[in-house]
Amino acid sequence: FRSLSYQGRDPVRAAEILNAVVGQYVRQNIDRKAEEASKSLAFLQEQLPQLHAQLDMASTRLNQYRSQVGATDLTEEAKVLLQQTADIQSQLVQLQQKRDDLLRTYKPGADVVTTLNQQIATLQAQAGEVDSRIKRLPRTQQDIVSLSRDVQVNTDLYTAMLNNIQQLQVTKAGEIGNARIVDYAMPAIKPVS
């Protein structure tokens, strides 16, 4: 919460000037938010075709492998490991994307970037543990888990990107800022500040 003051001889004019300054501040805040949303939206829309292509390739590889070895169902253990590894990989990719986005604004040593790097390292350690458990499965199960994970991760990322694009479009169109005018300046009889 911030307050502004302005001194002038004419109270009506002083209030008008102060209200104009505050109005311009709010407008600039909205414009800045819309510009940030536009930049992020352009970046995501640029990445969307590439992610869709990755999803298509992952689905094709899984289908081709299943055709070669025959339709093989995953064991319960393999299903659990698939879900765990897909969740970890999705979180990992999202955190890496978030870090890359933050690095446009912050330096690599900034606290927010360091925190993300720690979270990424934790997830990578978890991924290593799950991968070692996957390696104990029969070879066919390993391959299907790996290929299925790629499909699931790419599907999750593609869906998340579409959701982000929709949110940014709403933000951009909605002209929403984080600055609000609580009280407008009112002229007084005496000179005021």
Side-chain angles (χ1 to χ4, degrees):
F1 179 78
R2 295 185 186 204
S3 64
L4 298 176
S5 63
Y6 179 76
Q7 288 183 333
R9 293 183 186 164
D10 180 0
V12 173
R13 181 73 179 140
E16 289 173 352
I17 290 171
L18 192 54
N19 286 331
V21 168
V22 170
Q24 184 60 30
Y25 175 80
V26 170
R27 180 89 232 130
Q28 285 179 345
N29 180 264
I30 290 170
D31 291 346
R32 184 177 49 81
K33 290 286 184 189
E35 182 180 342
E36 288 173 5
S38 291
K39 287 180 181 178
S40 295
L41 187 59
F43 175 76
L44 290 178
Q45 287 174 330
E46 184 180 300
Q47 299 298 312
L48 194 61
Q50 178 184 355
L51 191 54
H52 189 268
Q54 289 174 347
L55 175 58
D56 287 343
M57 284 189 334
S59 296
T60 301
R61 284 193 305 265
L62 176 61
N63 292 334
Q64 287 174 346
Y65 185 79
R66 282 188 182 254
S67 294
Q68 287 174 356
V69 298
T72 305
D73 289 332
L74 292 174
T75 63
E76 287 304 313
E77 180 186 12
K79 287 178 184 177
V80 169
L81 291 172
L82 170 61
Q83 189 60 49
Q84 288 177 344
T85 190
D87 290 346
I88 291 170
Q89 289 300 321
S90 292
Q91 291 174 26
L92 195 55
V93 171
Q94 288 174 352
L95 285 178
Q96 288 168 337
Q97 288 174 343
K98 187 175 182 179
R99 181 188 58 197
D100 292 345
D101 191 39
L102 286 174
L103 286 174
R104 293 184 209 164
T105 307
Y106 297 98
K107 292 183 179 183
D111 288 344
V112 68
V113 176
T114 302
T115 300
L116 275 177
N117 285 337
Q118 291 168 347
Q119 291 172 349
I120 289 169
T122 300
L123 284 175
Q124 287 172 333
Q126 290 174 1
E129 291 172 15
V130 174
D131 284 344
S132 67
R133 289 174 51 202
I134 290 172
K135 288 179 183 175
R136 289 185 228 137
L137 295 172
R139 184 69 186 156
T140 304
Q141 293 285 300
Q142 287 180 39
D143 293 341
I144 290 176
V145 166
S146 177
L147 293 168
S148 296
R149 176 192 59 209
D150 291 346
V151 171
Q152 190 169 348
V153 168
N154 284 312
T155 300
D156 291 348
L157 293 175
Y158 187 75
T159 303
M161 189 173 288
L162 288 175
N163 289 337
N164 288 340
I165 287 172
Q166 288 176 343
Q167 289 172 353
L168 288 170
Q169 287 171 334
V170 168
T171 300
K172 183 180 169 191
E175 295 189 2
I176 299 170
N178 59 0
R180 303 281 182 265
I181 300 172
V182 177
D183 292 316
Y184 285 93
M186 302 296 290
I189 297 172
K190 299 181 208 175
V192 294
S193 62

